[in-house]
Amino acid sequence: MTGEKLLYIETFGCQMNASDSDKIASLLKGVGYKPTTDSARADLIILNTCSVREKAEHKVYSQLGRLRELKTETRRLLLGVGGCVAQQEGERLLKRVPWVDLVFGTHNLHQLPDMVRAAERGERRAEVQFIDAETRLDLFPRDDASGSVTRFVTVMQGCDNFCSYCIVPYVRGREISRRSAEILDEIQNAVSDGVKEVTLLGQNVNSYGLATPGEISFAELLRKIAAIDGLERVRFTTSHPKDISADLIACFSELPKLCGHVHLPAQSGSDAVLTWMNRGYTRREYLEKIAALKAARPGIQVTGDFIVGFPGETEEDFLQTLSLMEEVCYADLFSFVYSPRPETKAAGFADKVSRKEKQARLERLQALQLEMTLERNRTFEGTRQRILVEGVSKRGDQLFGRTDGNRIVNFTADPSLVGAMVEVDITRGYPNSLLGEIVNP
Ligand code: SAH
Ligand code: SF4
Ligand code: F3S
C-alpha cells in the first residue's frame, strides 16, 4: 500500500448517522485512511445519507452530481454511499449513479474495509443485507472518540413501531437493545476519560430491554448509570410517548443526575390523525404523560416533533395541533411537512393535503412556536443556572454550555473552564440561546 490516504465523510440526517460516521472513520483507519476536512484532497469520499423525507433523499443525489466533477479532475478518488438512502436503494444506486464505487447499508459497516479494498482494485459493490441479531449485538457501535466533555452512547438500534409515515423501520431494521453490561462499561470508561455527560441514544429508548429476556428495563438502566461516580449528567433521546412508563417518570424525581429535559414527539394533536399515523396513543394519554413528567420534575423542559399536512388532516385537526402546543408549552420543536416515503403505509393514503396548504400550516405552526420559545427563554432572565461548560463558541470569544433543561447558554469566561460545572446568571433570552454572566469566575 502506498502512503496515507485521505477520507472525507459527509453526514446527513440524525445522530445515529453521526455515530455511524465516527465508526466508519475508525474502521477505515485500519485500511490506511486518515480523516480530512478538505473534500478536494480526499482519496475516498463517503456520503452517509438520510432518507426520512423526500428532501433529504434529493440532497444526496444533488451532492452526488457535484462530486462527479471532482472525480474526473482528481487522479484517484473513490466514492461511497452509506446510510438510509443506500439501504433503501442498494444495487439500484450503483446502476443509477455510475460514478459511485460502493454502496453499503445500515447493517454493513463492518464490511466496509473489504469493500474499500475491492474498490481500490476497481470492483464496484453494493452490500445492503440485514444481519442477524447475535452479530448485530457483537457489532454495536462503541463510541471511543476522546477529548470531549459530552458523549452519545448508543443503547438500541432499529425500530418496530411502524408509524405509518416513517421509513426508519425499513432502513434500520428491527429494534435491538445493546447488552446493559456493555453500556455501563462504556460509560465507566468514558468517565475515566473525562466525560461528564452522556446522552443515551436510540430511535425509541423507552422500550429498551423489553424484548430481550433477562435484560433490565430502561428505568433500571438509568438508575445504574446515575450511580456511576464522576458522571455529572445523563440525558436520553428519542422517547416514544406510548412507552414512557410510570417507572421511567419516577426516575425524574429520584435521580438528580437525570437532566430535566425530555424530547417527546407528539406528531399531531388530533386523535384522528394520531390513529392514521399508528402512533398508539391519544391526545389525552399524551397530555397525561406530560402532566406526570411535570409533576415528577417541576420545570422540566419538553421538546417535540410535529408533522403537518398528513393525508386527511383537516383545518380542524391542524387547530388541534396548535392547541396541544399551547397546552404543553414546548421549549422548542422540530416541525416538518408530511413527505410520502417508499414502502410506508401512508404513501398509499388518499385525501392528500395540497402542497400550498401544507406549507401554510407549517409556517403558522413555526410562527407560534417561535413566539413561545422566545417567551420561554425570556423567563430564564434573572435566574441562576448550573451549566456544564462544553467548549469555546464558534466566534471564539465566549464559552458555551447547556442548562439542565438543555438550553444553550453563552457567556464570557476563561477557556480553562471547559469541562467544569459552573453557575451562570442569565441576563438575556434569545430565540435559540441564552446569554449569561458567570458567577465567581
Ligand atoms: N424515532 C424518533 C424520530 C424519527 S425521525 C421518533 O419516533 O420520534 C424524526 C422525525 O422526523 C419524526 O419524529 C417525524 O416528526 C419526522 N418524520 C418522519 N417521517 C416523516 C415523513 N414521512 N414526513 C415528514 N416528517 C417525517
Ligand atoms: Fe419512525 Fe415511529 Fe419508529 Fe420514530 S417510532 S422511528 S417515527 S416508526
Ligand atoms: Fe434519517 Fe436514517 Fe436517521 S432516515 S433520520 S438517517 S435513521
Side-chain angles (χ1 to χ4, degrees):
M1 217 177 290
T2 55
E4 200 163 58
K5 296 160 287 184
L6 295 176
L7 164 70
Y8 179 83
I9 307 181
E10 187 168 348
T11 309
F12 302 82
C14 66
Q15 186 57 41
M16 322 277 157
N17 265 11
S19 295
D20 283 349
S21 288
D22 290 345
K23 176 87 183 171
I24 291 168
S26 102
L27 282 167
L28 291 183
K29 264 188 203 140
V31 283
Y33 285 85
K34 193 181 132 193
T36 174
T37 50
D38 180 5
S39 60
R41 291 179 55 220
D43 302 285
L44 168 61
I45 295 183
I46 288 186
L47 303 186
N48 195 7
T49 63
C50 173
S51 180
V52 78
R53 283 168 291 276
E54 227 163 22
K55 231 192 230 162
E57 189 179 345
H58 286 162
K59 242 194 232 165
V60 174
Y61 287 105
S62 50
Q63 186 61 343
L64 284 172
R66 278 194 288 277
L67 290 174
R68 178 184 205 170
E69 289 159 32
L70 208 56
K71 196 160 176 174
T72 51
E73 284 165 17
T74 319
R75 250 183 319 121
R76 180 186 61 176
L77 171 63
L78 296 175
L79 192 53
V81 184
C84 296
V85 176
Q87 185 63 50
Q88 178 193 312
E89 293 301 306
E91 287 277 348
R92 276 201 302 267
L93 192 65
L94 278 187
K95 292 209 179 80
R96 186 170 162 188
V97 192
W99 58 96
V100 164
D101 299 284
L102 54 121
V103 172
F104 58 99
T106 56
H107 289 200
N108 310 90
L109 267 52
H110 62 291
Q111 289 163 279
L112 204 48
D114 274 350
M115 293 178 75
V116 168
R117 277 204 215 97
E120 287 171 344
R121 297 190 301 266
E123 265 175 57
R124 295 175 76 228
R125 265 166 69 185
E127 298 287 356
V128 294
Q129 68 284 15
F130 281 162
I131 57 179
D132 64 86
E134 216 33 52
T135 317
R136 275 177 90 190
L137 280 179
D138 291 336
L139 292 170
F140 236 90
R142 200 184 167 85
D143 192 340
D144 48 14
S146 56
S148 77
V149 180
T150 60
R151 203 174 280 185
F152 284 97
V153 176
T154 310
V155 299
M156 50 123 48
Q157 288 186 323
C159 183
D160 289 347
N161 283 321
F162 292 94
C163 302
S164 64
Y165 51 81
C166 186
I167 198 168
V168 171
Y170 303 94
V171 290
R172 291 275 163 174
R174 296 290 57 75
E175 184 180 296
I176 189 167
S177 296
R178 187 179 179 191
R179 298 176 185 112
S180 54
E182 220 178 279
I183 297 170
L184 291 163
D185 191 46
E186 180 174 320
I187 298 176
Q188 187 70 64
N189 287 336
V191 170
S192 317
D193 261 15
V195 167
K196 299 281 170 59
E197 174 184 308
V198 293
T199 301
L200 310 179
L201 186 65
Q203 290 295 354
N204 180 21
V205 291
N206 312 140
S207 58
Y208 175 87
L210 294 182
T212 317
E215 191 49 278
I216 57 176
S217 71
F218 189 60
E220 288 168 85
L221 181 67
L222 282 176
R223 292 187 180 104
K224 285 187 192 270
I225 291 171
I228 294 177
D229 258 353
L231 182 71
E232 299 268 4
R233 286 176 160 183
V234 193
R235 304 179 188 276
F236 57 84
T237 193
T238 294
S239 295
H240 194 300
K242 79 173 162 51
D243 298 319
I244 286 238
S245 64
D247 195 24
L248 175 56
I249 293 172
C251 288
F252 280 97
S253 45
E254 254 173 58
L255 306 173
K257 286 185 189 176
L258 179 59
C259 289
H261 166 229
V262 62
H263 184 69
L264 198 60
Q267 311 297 0
S268 170
S270 149
D271 281 338
V273 177
L274 287 172
T275 306
W276 302 330
M277 285 178 163
N278 190 32
R279 286 291 285 177
Y281 53 86
T282 61
R283 174 193 177 98
R284 189 163 147 207
E285 284 161 351
Y286 181 83
L287 284 169
E288 281 167 3
K289 303 248 163 140
I290 295 285
L293 284 160
K294 286 180 175 172
R297 178 69 67 87
I300 193 168
Q301 302 293 304
V302 185
T303 55
D305 299 346
F306 281 99
I307 296 176
V308 301
F310 190 82
E313 184 191 69
T314 61
E315 171 68 14
E316 208 35 57
D317 293 317
F318 175 65
L319 290 175
Q320 293 270 307
T321 290
L322 296 186
S323 83
L324 182 75
M325 284 166 58
E326 296 195 90
E327 272 187 63
V328 174
C329 200
Y330 292 99
D332 219 338
L333 280 183
F334 295 103
S335 49
F336 314 97
V337 155
Y338 168 72
S339 164
R341 306 308 295 132
E343 293 187 80
T344 62
K345 219 169 163 194
F349 290 177
D351 210 5
K352 307 264 192 289
V353 180
S354 77
R355 190 198 287 215
K356 201 172 143 212
E357 184 55 37
K358 283 197 272 195
Q359 190 56 37
R361 285 180 192 168
L362 185 72
E363 283 164 21
R364 285 160 69 195
L365 186 155
Q366 290 182 340
L368 174 64
Q369 186 56 43
L370 183 64
E371 212 179 283
M372 295 196 330
T373 299
L374 187 56
E375 199 176 303
R376 160 68 56 105
N377 283 351
R378 292 219 168 117
T379 63
F380 291 110
E381 290 174 3
T383 66
R384 183 164 288 185
Q385 301 284 332
R386 255 182 105 227
I387 310 289
L388 172 60
V389 188
E390 291 180 35
V392 179
S393 70
K394 279 194 200 110
R395 279 177 14 208
D397 55 347
Q398 282 183 324
L399 302 186
F400 73 93
R402 278 173 297 156
T403 65
D404 180 72
N406 213 30
R407 305 281 85 201
I408 301 266
V409 181
N410 295 298
F411 56 98
T412 305
D414 195 273
S416 65
L417 285 172
V418 172
M421 295 291 303
V422 299
E423 303 234 290
V424 172
D425 286 335
I426 305 301
T427 53
R428 195 68 205 267
Y430 296 108
N432 296 313
S433 64
L434 308 174
L435 185 67
E437 279 168 12
I438 188 162
V439 182
N440 303 324

